[in-house]
Amino acid sequence: MAKIAKLERSASSCNGGCETSFKTGNAPWVGCSYSAGINSVVSSTCTDTLTYKTYAECMDTKLFLGWITREARWHCSSLLAGGKLKGEKLTTLVAEKREVAELKRSARR
């Protein structure tokens, strides 16, 4: 309960910009685009009501809150791609995708 209370105190409904359905004037559209499906490439426009320093912190929180693993990975990867995880570099995501691809390739053999 203490962890949930801490997350609630740190949440902001418009962290990184309020989600919008359409572009407004010169302001870009803000939000996560699931239009291509959860297995698609990341959405660099994603925002979150919480602020994370790292991908691992994002994943831990999402899984703690009951998110499905693949959705949490997609969302946290999207935050990383959008530069919203200040403690991470994009190379982390690239390395992770390379490892997954190598595992899939070795599993096929």
Side-chain angles (χ1 to χ4, degrees):
M1 291 305 281
K3 187 170 181 175
I4 290 176
K6 182 181 175 185
L7 291 172
E8 184 179 33
R9 283 191 304 273
S10 66
S12 166
S13 62
C14 290
N15 187 20
C18 291
E19 287 195 34
T20 57
S21 297
F22 303 99
K23 293 169 81 171
T24 306
N26 290 336
W29 177 80
V30 176
C32 296
S33 175
Y34 293 106
S35 62
I38 199 70
N39 296 317
S40 67
V41 294
V42 296
S43 174
S44 61
T45 60
C46 269
T47 60
D48 200 302
T49 57
L50 296 168
T51 302
Y52 309 101
K53 291 180 183 142
T54 65
Y55 178 86
E57 181 183 20
C58 178
M59 283 295 297
D60 287 345
T61 301
K62 295 304 179 193
L63 295 175
F64 172 75
L65 293 173
W67 283 44
I68 296 169
T69 303
R70 74 171 182 264
E71 291 174 346
R73 276 192 202 122
W74 185 87
H75 185 77
C76 294
S77 295
S78 294
L79 293 176
L80 180 62
K84 296 180 178 81
L85 301 178
K86 300 305 179 195
E88 296 278 9
K89 294 181 181 174
L90 193 54
T91 55
T92 305
L93 177 62
V94 172
E96 180 183 300
K97 285 191 174 199
R98 187 176 304 131
E99 287 176 26
V100 169
E102 288 172 8
L103 286 173
K104 286 181 179 178
R105 195 174 21 235
S106 65
R108 287 185 211 147
R109 294 179 187 168

